[in-house]
Structure formats: structure tokens, C-alpha cells
Amino acid sequence: MPRTILHADLDAFYASVEQLDDPALRGKPVVVGGSPEHRGVVAAASYEARAFGIRSAMPMSRAMRLCPDARRVPPRFERYGELSRAVMAIFRALTPLVEPLSLDEAFLDVTAAVRGQDDVERIARSLKDDVKEATQLTVSVGGGSNKTVAKIASDFRKPDGLVVVPWGDEATFLAPLPVRALWGVGPKSEADLLRASIRTIGDVARRSVGEMERLLGSRGPFLRTMAQGNDDRPVQTSWERKSVGAETTFAHDLADGDDLRAHLHDIATEVARRMQGLGVRGHTVALKLRYSDFHTITRQSTLVQPVDDSASIEAVATRLAAVALAAGGRVRLLGIQCSKLTDGTSVQRTLWRGTDVV
């Protein structure tokens, strides 16, 4: 019996929660994120907002230009975490083999519950119904013999989608899709592949191991394997994560000032979002700066108590930036990383002791 993996992804999670809690927002274009006046970014957009071209990670100012009638609400991570835990509990009631990827998505290995191909759709539909009944939220589910196929399938008929790829049809399902649909192919990798006339996942599957390695380095052969419908990665119920971070390379080098500090705020918010999604806190907050001459420095502070909220992370990063930028210079890249991770049950305080590393 082949493995059976489901990928479950809550639809427009943050925005859907806001519409759930505030009936006045239902059916309206909703964007969750920071203020456009403070260079906030979109953390989530309802499907009504997406119809105007609004997407996650878009500057909020642009989102509001695309849809002036959109309702902007600030994120409420405690509420999202509450509902995420409820949904993950439903997943774990089905199988102990659950690998959360963030607050709103997870892989589930349901092989033990499957006796035949028809069971896969039945189990996936039951899972969707259980989530809807418990939380009033919709979840899109993809199913297949491996992670690659399940994840791509879950995105096929959003929102409230259900797509199961039959065993043996993995390569056929993947072949016509654009290379960008392949997990791990970002804008840069996509551009490299398009220059080599590789436009579909099927094109990747047909190229040699050597050519894929030449194009994408060590990742190339594994992407080829995935494109052929093969992926033997297990669902990992736990793993040791060393750090959580985010960084931004600017279109134009920035001097210290309001624009740079606004980016610092957004990066701290994103790092906090990722940490809360993973259920971890960090004892060490590090600031990374790359100057216009490509000289790169790192400054870090180790805290007495771990943190996972954007205000605490931003406060430490701001203090480090004030020292690092005192001598001037223009910055081309800014990043924040939290390490020395612990689980999210630790009591949070904002005391720290500083240690600087170049």
C-alpha cells in the first residue's frame, strides 16, 4: 500500500478569522496587516481582496490603492494561535503523524487509516467537515503519495478545495504545471529555469541530473526527483530548529532614518509571525546589516527570558541598529534572526544581556 499524505491549508486564515469574529466584514475585502502610514505590509488578504490583486507581503499602501474600500485590521496573533491549536488538535485526532508548517497548514500521514484509493477522499472530506464544524473555518486539502503532490494539490481548487491525486498518476498530474508551482522554486530559480527553456514541471522531469545541478546547484537533482512525482521525505512530527529569521534586500540602498526603521518594524513582525506559527521563542535576537559596499556585520543580544512577540524583537533589534548605524553608511540588506530557541510555553519577559558579534 503506498503512503498517503494529506496537506491541509486553512483558507486565507488570518482574514477568515477576522470575518468569522466580525460579521460586518463577511463578504467584504479584508486585509490584515500594519498601517500604510507606517509602511506596513499585508499579512493576509480575504478572497474578496485578492480579486483586486492584493497578495500577502504586498506593501499595505499599494493594497489600499488597489482597493480603497478594503477594510484593514491589525493582526491578532493570540486569536489566530487559539484557532490554530484547535485545528491541529483535530488533525492529531486523525493521526499522530502531523507536521505543522505554520499556524495555518500541516502535513498529515494517514497511511494507517487507508485501505484503498477510495478511502483517501473520504478521509480528507471528513477532515474538512470536522474543521468546519469545530471552527466555522474552511480548509483546502490535497492528497497523494508524497508531500510534493499533496501540497500542490491543496492549492488547486482554493478556497474550500479537495483534490486527491491517484496513486501512480503523480508525474502526469505535475507535468503540465508551471515550474513555479514546484516546492522550493522561487523567483530567482524560476528565472534561471525559464532562461534554459524549462517552463513546466514536466520540463524539469525530463532534464538530466547533471543539467539540473548545473542550473540550480545541489538543489537541482532533488527538484528533478520531485518533478518526476517522487518524494520520500517523511512527515516529521518534531525536529530541532536552530533559528527563525527574515531579511530584506532593498531596491535602493538606505541611510538610517524612517524608511529603514519601518523596514525593521516589518521584519520584526514577520519573524514574530513565523515564531508564533512554529510555537517557539528565542533567547537570542540578532541583527544583520549589509552595507552598500557588501560589508556585512551581525550584532546580537542574548535575553534572560525568551521572546516571540514583535514588540520585544523590534526593541532589541532597534537597540542593536542604533549602535551599528552610529557611524553612518547606507544599507542594502537588513535582517533579524532569533536563535537559542525554546518552546512557546516559557514565561516571557523583556530583560536581556547583550553580546555583540561581528
Side-chain angles (χ1 to χ4, degrees):
M1 184 74 65
R3 279 194 316 159
T4 301
I5 308 298
L6 302 181
H7 179 259
D9 190 0
L10 288 157
D11 298 316
F13 180 46
Y14 296 173
S16 295
V17 172
E18 298 303 333
Q19 291 177 319
L20 174 67
D21 289 351
D22 184 353
L25 297 178
R26 295 173 192 173
K28 304 289 179 59
V30 175
V31 288
V32 179
S35 165
E37 291 79 15
H38 294 91
R39 299 179 62 87
V41 297
V42 176
S46 68
Y47 284 92
E48 295 87 353
R50 294 182 190 189
F52 291 87
I54 298 173
R55 295 291 183 269
S56 296
M58 175 182 289
M60 187 62 73
S61 56
R62 183 183 175 200
M64 299 307 292
R65 287 196 299 272
L66 288 172
C67 182
D69 293 331
R71 299 284 299 274
R72 184 191 70 82
V73 294
R76 297 181 297 146
F77 289 113
E78 287 189 6
R79 176 60 171 154
Y80 308 149
E82 174 189 352
L83 284 170
S84 174
R85 287 188 292 273
V87 171
M88 295 298 169
I90 293 170
F91 294 169
R92 292 189 176 96
L94 173 62
T95 172
L97 301 177
V98 176
E99 179 182 340
L101 300 178
S102 63
L103 285 174
D104 57 351
E105 62 175 321
F107 285 115
L108 298 81
D109 187 330
V110 297
T111 305
V114 172
R115 296 293 176 266
Q117 182 72 70
D118 291 344
D119 283 344
V120 183
E121 182 169 343
R122 175 184 59 77
I123 291 169
R125 191 169 298 282
S126 177
L127 184 68
K128 288 168 57 65
D129 291 345
D130 289 347
V131 171
K132 181 71 171 178
E133 181 179 357
T135 68
Q136 299 304 304
L137 297 171
T138 62
V139 59
S140 291
V141 178
S145 64
N146 60 61
K147 284 183 171 182
T148 295
V149 169
K151 183 167 175 60
I152 292 175
S154 70
D155 199 41
F156 240 57
R157 293 178 185 161
K158 275 183 163 288
D160 202 16
L162 173 57
V163 175
V164 173
V165 179
W167 301 325
D169 288 355
E170 295 85 359
T172 302
F173 168 73
L174 294 172
L177 303 179
V179 290
R180 186 64 184 273
L182 198 60
W183 201 6
V185 175
K188 184 179 184 303
S189 297
E190 180 185 31
D192 291 339
L193 292 170
L194 291 176
R195 280 194 293 270
S197 298
I198 298 175
R199 294 179 172 80
T200 67
I201 294 179
D203 292 337
V204 175
R206 288 186 289 270
R207 297 303 174 100
S208 68
V209 172
E211 183 173 5
M212 290 305 300
E213 187 169 16
R214 178 179 60 79
L215 287 170
L216 299 178
S218 60
R219 294 185 305 118
F222 181 60
L223 289 178
R224 176 179 179 270
T225 298
M226 287 196 296
Q228 293 173 334
N230 301 313
D231 179 0
D232 60 2
R233 292 173 300 163
V235 169
Q236 296 180 302
T237 57
S238 64
W239 69 96
E240 185 180 0
R241 180 178 289 272
K242 300 295 186 182
S243 63
V244 178
E247 61 183 39
T248 297
T249 300
F250 307 127
H252 305 286
D253 299 341
L254 296 177
D256 191 13
D258 290 344
D259 285 351
L260 189 65
R261 299 309 174 111
H263 282 291
L264 187 72
H265 168 81
D266 291 342
I267 295 169
T269 300
E270 175 62 17
V271 173
R273 183 187 71 80
R274 294 179 183 181
M275 294 181 74
Q276 291 165 6
L278 293 166
V280 297
R281 289 177 174 169
H283 279 279
T284 297
V285 178
L287 177 77
K288 178 181 177 182
L289 293 172
R290 179 168 296 150
Y291 292 96
S292 55
D293 62 359
F294 287 88
H295 175 60
T296 303
I297 66 169
T298 302
R299 298 286 185 266
Q300 69 180 38
S301 282
T302 298
L303 316 181
V304 174
Q305 295 292 337
V307 296
D308 70 348
D309 65 296
S310 59
S312 296
I313 294 169
E314 182 180 359
V316 178
T318 297
R319 182 177 65 86
L320 295 172
V323 176
L325 295 169
R330 299 183 71 84
V331 177
R332 63 178 288 108
L333 178 147
L334 180 65
I336 297 173
Q337 185 177 82
C338 292
S339 59
K340 295 186 179 179
L341 303 180
T342 185
D343 65 52
T345 60
S346 302
V347 177
Q348 181 177 321
R349 296 168 62 190
T350 57
L351 301 176
W352 62 69
R353 63 179 184 274
T355 59
D356 292 338
V357 176
V358 177

mmCIF file with all atom_site columns, all heavy atoms in Angstrom, residues 292-314:
data_model
loop_
_atom_site.group_PDB
_atom_site.id
_atom_site.type_symbol
_atom_site.label_atom_id
_atom_site.label_alt_id
_atom_site.label_comp_id
_atom_site.label_asym_id
_atom_site.label_entity_id
_atom_site.label_seq_id
_atom_site.pdbx_PDB_ins_code
_atom_site.Cartn_x
_atom_site.Cartn_y
_atom_site.Cartn_z
_atom_site.occupancy
_atom_site.B_iso_or_equiv
_atom_site.pdbx_formal_charge
_atom_site.auth_seq_id
_atom_site.auth_comp_id
_atom_site.auth_asym_id
_atom_site.auth_atom_id
_atom_site.pdbx_PDB_model_num
ATOM 1   N N   . SER A 1 292 ? 26.316 49.084 1.483  1.00 0.00 ? 292 SER A N   1
ATOM 2   C CA  . SER A 1 292 ? 26.365 49.255 0.032  1.00 0.00 ? 292 SER A CA  1
ATOM 3   C C   . SER A 1 292 ? 27.636 48.690 -0.580 1.00 0.00 ? 292 SER A C   1
ATOM 4   O O   . SER A 1 292 ? 27.653 48.324 -1.752 1.00 0.00 ? 292 SER A O   1
ATOM 5   C CB  . SER A 1 292 ? 26.222 50.741 -0.327 1.00 0.00 ? 292 SER A CB  1
ATOM 6   O OG  . SER A 1 292 ? 27.212 51.503 0.343  1.00 0.00 ? 292 SER A OG  1
ATOM 7   N N   . ASP A 1 293 ? 28.727 48.607 0.220  1.00 0.00 ? 293 ASP A N   1
ATOM 8   C CA  . ASP A 1 293 ? 29.974 48.025 -0.289 1.00 0.00 ? 293 ASP A CA  1
ATOM 9   C C   . ASP A 1 293 ? 30.042 46.519 -0.043 1.00 0.00 ? 293 ASP A C   1
ATOM 10  O O   . ASP A 1 293 ? 31.097 45.907 -0.187 1.00 0.00 ? 293 ASP A O   1
ATOM 11  C CB  . ASP A 1 293 ? 31.189 48.720 0.342  1.00 0.00 ? 293 ASP A CB  1
ATOM 12  C CG  . ASP A 1 293 ? 31.225 48.549 1.856  1.00 0.00 ? 293 ASP A CG  1
ATOM 13  O OD1 . ASP A 1 293 ? 30.307 47.910 2.425  1.00 0.00 ? 293 ASP A OD1 1
ATOM 14  O OD2 . ASP A 1 293 ? 32.177 49.066 2.475  1.00 0.00 ? 293 ASP A OD2 1
ATOM 15  N N   . PHE A 1 294 ? 28.903 45.913 0.374  1.00 0.00 ? 294 PHE A N   1
ATOM 16  C CA  . PHE A 1 294 ? 28.741 44.481 0.638  1.00 0.00 ? 294 PHE A CA  1
ATOM 17  C C   . PHE A 1 294 ? 29.418 44.024 1.931  1.00 0.00 ? 294 PHE A C   1
ATOM 18  O O   . PHE A 1 294 ? 29.422 42.836 2.237  1.00 0.00 ? 294 PHE A O   1
ATOM 19  C CB  . PHE A 1 294 ? 29.240 43.619 -0.544 1.00 0.00 ? 294 PHE A CB  1
ATOM 20  C CG  . PHE A 1 294 ? 28.316 43.686 -1.729 1.00 0.00 ? 294 PHE A CG  1
ATOM 21  C CD1 . PHE A 1 294 ? 28.456 44.678 -2.693 1.00 0.00 ? 294 PHE A CD1 1
ATOM 22  C CD2 . PHE A 1 294 ? 27.299 42.753 -1.873 1.00 0.00 ? 294 PHE A CD2 1
ATOM 23  C CE1 . PHE A 1 294 ? 27.599 44.741 -3.771 1.00 0.00 ? 294 PHE A CE1 1
ATOM 24  C CE2 . PHE A 1 294 ? 26.427 42.810 -2.954 1.00 0.00 ? 294 PHE A CE2 1
ATOM 25  C CZ  . PHE A 1 294 ? 26.581 43.808 -3.905 1.00 0.00 ? 294 PHE A CZ  1
ATOM 26  N N   . HIS A 1 295 ? 29.974 44.924 2.705  1.00 0.00 ? 295 HIS A N   1
ATOM 27  C CA  . HIS A 1 295 ? 30.487 44.557 4.031  1.00 0.00 ? 295 HIS A CA  1
ATOM 28  C C   . HIS A 1 295 ? 29.291 44.201 4.915  1.00 0.00 ? 295 HIS A C   1
ATOM 29  O O   . HIS A 1 295 ? 28.306 44.939 4.973  1.00 0.00 ? 295 HIS A O   1
ATOM 30  C CB  . HIS A 1 295 ? 31.258 45.733 4.639  1.00 0.00 ? 295 HIS A CB  1
ATOM 31  C CG  . HIS A 1 295 ? 31.703 45.478 6.050  1.00 0.00 ? 295 HIS A CG  1
ATOM 32  N ND1 . HIS A 1 295 ? 32.533 44.445 6.396  1.00 0.00 ? 295 HIS A ND1 1
ATOM 33  C CD2 . HIS A 1 295 ? 31.412 46.136 7.209  1.00 0.00 ? 295 HIS A CD2 1
ATOM 34  C CE1 . HIS A 1 295 ? 32.749 44.463 7.695  1.00 0.00 ? 295 HIS A CE1 1
ATOM 35  N NE2 . HIS A 1 295 ? 32.074 45.479 8.214  1.00 0.00 ? 295 HIS A NE2 1
ATOM 36  N N   . THR A 1 296 ? 29.349 43.057 5.556  1.00 0.00 ? 296 THR A N   1
ATOM 37  C CA  . THR A 1 296 ? 28.237 42.547 6.345  1.00 0.00 ? 296 THR A CA  1
ATOM 38  C C   . THR A 1 296 ? 28.640 42.394 7.806  1.00 0.00 ? 296 THR A C   1
ATOM 39  O O   . THR A 1 296 ? 29.717 41.862 8.103  1.00 0.00 ? 296 THR A O   1
ATOM 40  C CB  . THR A 1 296 ? 27.766 41.185 5.800  1.00 0.00 ? 296 THR A CB  1
ATOM 41  O OG1 . THR A 1 296 ? 27.405 41.319 4.417  1.00 0.00 ? 296 THR A OG1 1
ATOM 42  C CG2 . THR A 1 296 ? 26.558 40.665 6.577  1.00 0.00 ? 296 THR A CG2 1
ATOM 43  N N   . ILE A 1 297 ? 27.779 42.851 8.706  1.00 0.00 ? 297 ILE A N   1
ATOM 44  C CA  . ILE A 1 297 ? 28.035 42.677 10.134 1.00 0.00 ? 297 ILE A CA  1
ATOM 45  C C   . ILE A 1 297 ? 26.806 42.065 10.796 1.00 0.00 ? 297 ILE A C   1
ATOM 46  O O   . ILE A 1 297 ? 25.686 42.166 10.275 1.00 0.00 ? 297 ILE A O   1
ATOM 47  C CB  . ILE A 1 297 ? 28.388 44.000 10.843 1.00 0.00 ? 297 ILE A CB  1
ATOM 48  C CG1 . ILE A 1 297 ? 27.194 44.955 10.835 1.00 0.00 ? 297 ILE A CG1 1
ATOM 49  C CG2 . ILE A 1 297 ? 29.614 44.655 10.222 1.00 0.00 ? 297 ILE A CG2 1
ATOM 50  C CD1 . ILE A 1 297 ? 27.371 46.160 11.737 1.00 0.00 ? 297 ILE A CD1 1
ATOM 51  N N   . THR A 1 298 ? 27.022 41.416 11.926 1.00 0.00 ? 298 THR A N   1
ATOM 52  C CA  . THR A 1 298 ? 25.939 40.877 12.744 1.00 0.00 ? 298 THR A CA  1
ATOM 53  C C   . THR A 1 298 ? 26.133 41.345 14.170 1.00 0.00 ? 298 THR A C   1
ATOM 54  O O   . THR A 1 298 ? 27.246 41.308 14.697 1.00 0.00 ? 298 THR A O   1
ATOM 55  C CB  . THR A 1 298 ? 25.928 39.336 12.701 1.00 0.00 ? 298 THR A CB  1
ATOM 56  O OG1 . THR A 1 298 ? 25.795 38.904 11.354 1.00 0.00 ? 298 THR A OG1 1
ATOM 57  C CG2 . THR A 1 298 ? 24.753 38.787 13.510 1.00 0.00 ? 298 THR A CG2 1
ATOM 58  N N   . ARG A 1 299 ? 25.063 41.805 14.783 1.00 0.00 ? 299 ARG A N   1
ATOM 59  C CA  . ARG A 1 299 ? 25.078 42.179 16.189 1.00 0.00 ? 299 ARG A CA  1
ATOM 60  C C   . ARG A 1 299 ? 23.968 41.407 16.891 1.00 0.00 ? 299 ARG A C   1
ATOM 61  O O   . ARG A 1 299 ? 22.882 41.258 16.334 1.00 0.00 ? 299 ARG A O   1
ATOM 62  C CB  . ARG A 1 299 ? 24.847 43.688 16.374 1.00 0.00 ? 299 ARG A CB  1
ATOM 63  C CG  . ARG A 1 299 ? 25.929 44.560 15.733 1.00 0.00 ? 299 ARG A CG  1
ATOM 64  C CD  . ARG A 1 299 ? 27.208 44.510 16.553 1.00 0.00 ? 299 ARG A CD  1
ATOM 65  N NE  . ARG A 1 299 ? 28.209 45.431 16.018 1.00 0.00 ? 299 ARG A NE  1
ATOM 66  C CZ  . ARG A 1 299 ? 29.149 45.113 15.157 1.00 0.00 ? 299 ARG A CZ  1
ATOM 67  N NH1 . ARG A 1 299 ? 29.208 43.861 14.699 1.00 0.00 ? 299 ARG A NH1 1
ATOM 68  N NH2 . ARG A 1 299 ? 30.012 45.998 14.743 1.00 0.00 ? 299 ARG A NH2 1
ATOM 69  N N   . GLN A 1 300 ? 24.210 40.914 18.090 1.00 0.00 ? 300 GLN A N   1
ATOM 70  C CA  . GLN A 1 300 ? 23.191 40.125 18.753 1.00 0.00 ? 300 GLN A CA  1
ATOM 71  C C   . GLN A 1 300 ? 23.132 40.401 20.243 1.00 0.00 ? 300 GLN A C   1
ATOM 72  O O   . GLN A 1 300 ? 24.112 40.843 20.849 1.00 0.00 ? 300 GLN A O   1
ATOM 73  C CB  . GLN A 1 300 ? 23.412 38.633 18.503 1.00 0.00 ? 300 GLN A CB  1
ATOM 74  C CG  . GLN A 1 300 ? 24.643 38.061 19.193 1.00 0.00 ? 300 GLN A CG  1
ATOM 75  C CD  . GLN A 1 300 ? 24.806 36.575 18.901 1.00 0.00 ? 300 GLN A CD  1
ATOM 76  O OE1 . GLN A 1 300 ? 24.540 36.136 17.777 1.00 0.00 ? 300 GLN A OE1 1
ATOM 77  N NE2 . GLN A 1 300 ? 25.264 35.819 19.873 1.00 0.00 ? 300 GLN A NE2 1
ATOM 78  N N   . SER A 1 301 ? 21.968 40.146 20.806 1.00 0.00 ? 301 SER A N   1
ATOM 79  C CA  . SER A 1 301 ? 21.754 40.231 22.245 1.00 0.00 ? 301 SER A CA  1
ATOM 80  C C   . SER A 1 301 ? 21.096 38.945 22.722 1.00 0.00 ? 301 SER A C   1
ATOM 81  O O   . SER A 1 301 ? 20.155 38.458 22.084 1.00 0.00 ? 301 SER A O   1
ATOM 82  C CB  . SER A 1 301 ? 20.858 41.422 22.608 1.00 0.00 ? 301 SER A CB  1
ATOM 83  O OG  . SER A 1 301 ? 21.577 42.634 22.567 1.00 0.00 ? 301 SER A OG  1
ATOM 84  N N   . THR A 1 302 ? 21.588 38.413 23.823 1.00 0.00 ? 302 THR A N   1
ATOM 85  C CA  . THR A 1 302 ? 21.013 37.213 24.420 1.00 0.00 ? 302 THR A CA  1
ATOM 86  C C   . THR A 1 302 ? 20.166 37.619 25.619 1.00 0.00 ? 302 THR A C   1
ATOM 87  O O   . THR A 1 302 ? 20.646 38.303 26.524 1.00 0.00 ? 302 THR A O   1
ATOM 88  C CB  . THR A 1 302 ? 22.124 36.236 24.845 1.00 0.00 ? 302 THR A CB  1
ATOM 89  O OG1 . THR A 1 302 ? 22.851 35.845 23.687 1.00 0.00 ? 302 THR A OG1 1
ATOM 90  C CG2 . THR A 1 302 ? 21.524 34.996 25.503 1.00 0.00 ? 302 THR A CG2 1
ATOM 91  N N   . LEU A 1 303 ? 18.911 37.193 25.606 1.00 0.00 ? 303 LEU A N   1
ATOM 92  C CA  . LEU A 1 303 ? 17.930 37.627 26.583 1.00 0.00 ? 303 LEU A CA  1
ATOM 93  C C   . LEU A 1 303 ? 17.850 36.659 27.762 1.00 0.00 ? 303 LEU A C   1
ATOM 94  O O   . LEU A 1 303 ? 18.070 35.463 27.624 1.00 0.00 ? 303 LEU A O   1
ATOM 95  C CB  . LEU A 1 303 ? 16.552 37.741 25.938 1.00 0.00 ? 303 LEU A CB  1
ATOM 96  C CG  . LEU A 1 303 ? 16.488 38.417 24.564 1.00 0.00 ? 303 LEU A CG  1
ATOM 97  C CD1 . LEU A 1 303 ? 15.058 38.470 24.086 1.00 0.00 ? 303 LEU A CD1 1
ATOM 98  C CD2 . LEU A 1 303 ? 17.112 39.795 24.609 1.00 0.00 ? 303 LEU A CD2 1
ATOM 99  N N   . VAL A 1 304 ? 17.502 37.197 28.903 1.00 0.00 ? 304 VAL A N   1
ATOM 100 C CA  . VAL A 1 304 ? 17.310 36.354 30.081 1.00 0.00 ? 304 VAL A CA  1
ATOM 101 C C   . VAL A 1 304 ? 16.099 35.452 29.882 1.00 0.00 ? 304 VAL A C   1
ATOM 102 O O   . VAL A 1 304 ? 16.129 34.262 30.199 1.00 0.00 ? 304 VAL A O   1
ATOM 103 C CB  . VAL A 1 304 ? 17.141 37.224 31.337 1.00 0.00 ? 304 VAL A CB  1
ATOM 104 C CG1 . VAL A 1 304 ? 16.788 36.352 32.546 1.00 0.00 ? 304 VAL A CG1 1
ATOM 105 C CG2 . VAL A 1 304 ? 18.411 38.020 31.611 1.00 0.00 ? 304 VAL A CG2 1
ATOM 106 N N   . GLN A 1 305 ? 15.006 36.003 29.357 1.00 0.00 ? 305 GLN A N   1
ATOM 107 C CA  . GLN A 1 305 ? 13.799 35.243 29.069 1.00 0.00 ? 305 GLN A CA  1
ATOM 108 C C   . GLN A 1 305 ? 13.533 35.270 27.561 1.00 0.00 ? 305 GLN A C   1
ATOM 109 O O   . GLN A 1 305 ? 13.753 36.293 26.902 1.00 0.00 ? 305 GLN A O   1
ATOM 110 C CB  . GLN A 1 305 ? 12.593 35.826 29.819 1.00 0.00 ? 305 GLN A CB  1
ATOM 111 C CG  . GLN A 1 305 ? 12.694 35.732 31.330 1.00 0.00 ? 305 GLN A CG  1
ATOM 112 C CD  . GLN A 1 305 ? 12.615 34.294 31.816 1.00 0.00 ? 305 GLN A CD  1
ATOM 113 O OE1 . GLN A 1 305 ? 12.076 33.434 31.115 1.00 0.00 ? 305 GLN A OE1 1
ATOM 114 N NE2 . GLN A 1 305 ? 13.139 34.023 32.996 1.00 0.00 ? 305 GLN A NE2 1
ATOM 115 N N   . PRO A 1 306 ? 13.070 34.162 26.988 1.00 0.00 ? 306 PRO A N   1
ATOM 116 C CA  . PRO A 1 306 ? 12.856 34.112 25.537 1.00 0.00 ? 306 PRO A CA  1
ATOM 117 C C   . PRO A 1 306 ? 11.651 34.948 25.109 1.00 0.00 ? 306 PRO A C   1
ATOM 118 O O   . PRO A 1 306 ? 10.724 35.175 25.896 1.00 0.00 ? 306 PRO A O   1
ATOM 119 C CB  . PRO A 1 306 ? 12.615 32.625 25.281 1.00 0.00 ? 306 PRO A CB  1
ATOM 120 C CG  . PRO A 1 306 ? 12.025 32.122 26.559 1.00 0.00 ? 306 PRO A CG  1
ATOM 121 C CD  . PRO A 1 306 ? 12.713 32.897 27.655 1.00 0.00 ? 306 PRO A CD  1
ATOM 122 N N   . VAL A 1 307 ? 11.659 35.386 23.870 1.00 0.00 ? 307 VAL A N   1
ATOM 123 C CA  . VAL A 1 307 ? 10.580 36.224 23.335 1.00 0.00 ? 307 VAL A CA  1
ATOM 124 C C   . VAL A 1 307 ? 10.081 35.654 22.017 1.00 0.00 ? 307 VAL A C   1
ATOM 125 O O   . VAL A 1 307 ? 10.792 34.933 21.310 1.00 0.00 ? 307 VAL A O   1
ATOM 126 C CB  . VAL A 1 307 ? 11.051 37.679 23.120 1.00 0.00 ? 307 VAL A CB  1
ATOM 127 C CG1 . VAL A 1 307 ? 11.423 38.332 24.435 1.00 0.00 ? 307 VAL A CG1 1
ATOM 128 C CG2 . VAL A 1 307 ? 12.230 37.734 22.153 1.00 0.00 ? 307 VAL A CG2 1
ATOM 129 N N   . ASP A 1 308 ? 8.832  36.004 21.684 1.00 0.00 ? 308 ASP A N   1
ATOM 130 C CA  . ASP A 1 308 ? 8.294  35.658 20.371 1.00 0.00 ? 308 ASP A CA  1
ATOM 131 C C   . ASP A 1 308 ? 7.376  36.752 19.829 1.00 0.00 ? 308 ASP A C   1
ATOM 132 O O   . ASP A 1 308 ? 6.757  36.576 18.786 1.00 0.00 ? 308 ASP A O   1
ATOM 133 C CB  . ASP A 1 308 ? 7.525  34.334 20.429 1.00 0.00 ? 308 ASP A CB  1
ATOM 134 C CG  . ASP A 1 308 ? 6.208  34.446 21.210 1.00 0.00 ? 308 ASP A CG  1
ATOM 135 O OD1 . ASP A 1 308 ? 6.005  35.469 21.889 1.00 0.00 ? 308 ASP A OD1 1
ATOM 136 O OD2 . ASP A 1 308 ? 5.408  33.500 21.133 1.00 0.00 ? 308 ASP A OD2 1
ATOM 137 N N   . ASP A 1 309 ? 7.278  37.885 20.521 1.00 0.00 ? 309 ASP A N   1
ATOM 138 C CA  . ASP A 1 309 ? 6.376  38.947 20.077 1.00 0.00 ? 309 ASP A CA  1
ATOM 139 C C   . ASP A 1 309 ? 7.152  40.018 19.325 1.00 0.00 ? 309 ASP A C   1
ATOM 140 O O   . ASP A 1 309 ? 8.329  40.269 19.574 1.00 0.00 ? 309 ASP A O   1
ATOM 141 C CB  . ASP A 1 309 ? 5.640  39.572 21.261 1.00 0.00 ? 309 ASP A CB  1
ATOM 142 C CG  . ASP A 1 309 ? 6.589  40.280 22.214 1.00 0.00 ? 309 ASP A CG  1
ATOM 143 O OD1 . ASP A 1 309 ? 7.440  39.600 22.824 1.00 0.00 ? 309 ASP A OD1 1
ATOM 144 O OD2 . ASP A 1 309 ? 6.501  41.513 22.319 1.00 0.00 ? 309 ASP A OD2 1
ATOM 145 N N   . SER A 1 310 ? 6.487  40.660 18.385 1.00 0.00 ? 310 SER A N   1
ATOM 146 C CA  . SER A 1 310 ? 7.158  41.613 17.502 1.00 0.00 ? 310 SER A CA  1
ATOM 147 C C   . SER A 1 310 ? 7.701  42.817 18.263 1.00 0.00 ? 310 SER A C   1
ATOM 148 O O   . SER A 1 310 ? 8.772  43.337 17.929 1.00 0.00 ? 310 SER A O   1
ATOM 149 C CB  . SER A 1 310 ? 6.193  42.075 16.407 1.00 0.00 ? 310 SER A CB  1
ATOM 150 O OG  . SER A 1 310 ? 5.051  42.693 16.969 1.00 0.00 ? 310 SER A OG  1
ATOM 151 N N   . ALA A 1 311 ? 6.993  43.265 19.301 1.00 0.00 ? 311 ALA A N   1
ATOM 152 C CA  . ALA A 1 311 ? 7.443  44.457 20.031 1.00 0.00 ? 311 ALA A CA  1
ATOM 153 C C   . ALA A 1 311 ? 8.786  44.199 20.720 1.00 0.00 ? 311 ALA A C   1
ATOM 154 O O   . ALA A 1 311 ? 9.690  45.043 20.667 1.00 0.00 ? 311 ALA A O   1
ATOM 155 C CB  . ALA A 1 311 ? 6.395  44.866 21.059 1.00 0.00 ? 311 ALA A CB  1
ATOM 156 N N   . SER A 1 312 ? 8.929  43.043 21.350 1.00 0.00 ? 312 SER A N   1
ATOM 157 C CA  . SER A 1 312 ? 10.190 42.741 22.036 1.00 0.00 ? 312 SER A CA  1
ATOM 158 C C   . SER A 1 312 ? 11.322 42.531 21.046 1.00 0.00 ? 312 SER A C   1
ATOM 159 O O   . SER A 1 312 ? 12.445 43.009 21.244 1.00 0.00 ? 312 SER A O   1
ATOM 160 C CB  . SER A 1 312 ? 10.025 41.488 22.911 1.00 0.00 ? 312 SER A CB  1
ATOM 161 O OG  . SER A 1 312 ? 9.087  41.709 23.937 1.00 0.00 ? 312 SER A OG  1
ATOM 162 N N   . ILE A 1 313 ? 11.035 41.807 19.959 1.00 0.00 ? 313 ILE A N   1
ATOM 163 C CA  . ILE A 1 313 ? 12.062 41.561 18.941 1.00 0.00 ? 313 ILE A CA  1
ATOM 164 C C   . ILE A 1 313 ? 12.498 42.874 18.314 1.00 0.00 ? 313 ILE A C   1
ATOM 165 O O   . ILE A 1 313 ? 13.690 43.138 18.135 1.00 0.00 ? 313 ILE A O   1
ATOM 166 C CB  . ILE A 1 313 ? 11.530 40.582 17.886 1.00 0.00 ? 313 ILE A CB  1
ATOM 167 C CG1 . ILE A 1 313 ? 11.286 39.203 18.508 1.00 0.00 ? 313 ILE A CG1 1
ATOM 168 C CG2 . ILE A 1 313 ? 12.503 40.470 16.710 1.00 0.00 ? 313 ILE A CG2 1
ATOM 169 C CD1 . ILE A 1 313 ? 10.520 38.254 17.612 1.00 0.00 ? 313 ILE A CD1 1
ATOM 170 N N   . GLU A 1 314 ? 11.529 43.733 17.997 1.00 0.00 ? 314 GLU A N   1
ATOM 171 C CA  . GLU A 1 314 ? 11.860 45.024 17.393 1.00 0.00 ? 314 GLU A CA  1
ATOM 172 C C   . GLU A 1 314 ? 12.656 45.893 18.360 1.00 0.00 ? 314 GLU A C   1
ATOM 173 O O   . GLU A 1 314 ? 13.591 46.604 17.948 1.00 0.00 ? 314 GLU A O   1
ATOM 174 C CB  . GLU A 1 314 ? 10.588 45.741 16.958 1.00 0.00 ? 314 GLU A CB  1
ATOM 175 C CG  . GLU A 1 314 ? 10.873 47.069 16.271 1.00 0.00 ? 314 GLU A CG  1
ATOM 176 C CD  . GLU A 1 314 ? 9.602  47.789 15.844 1.00 0.00 ? 314 GLU A CD  1
ATOM 177 O OE1 . GLU A 1 314 ? 8.498  47.248 16.063 1.00 0.00 ? 314 GLU A OE1 1
ATOM 178 O OE2 . GLU A 1 314 ? 9.718  48.900 15.288 1.00 0.00 ? 314 GLU A OE2 1
#
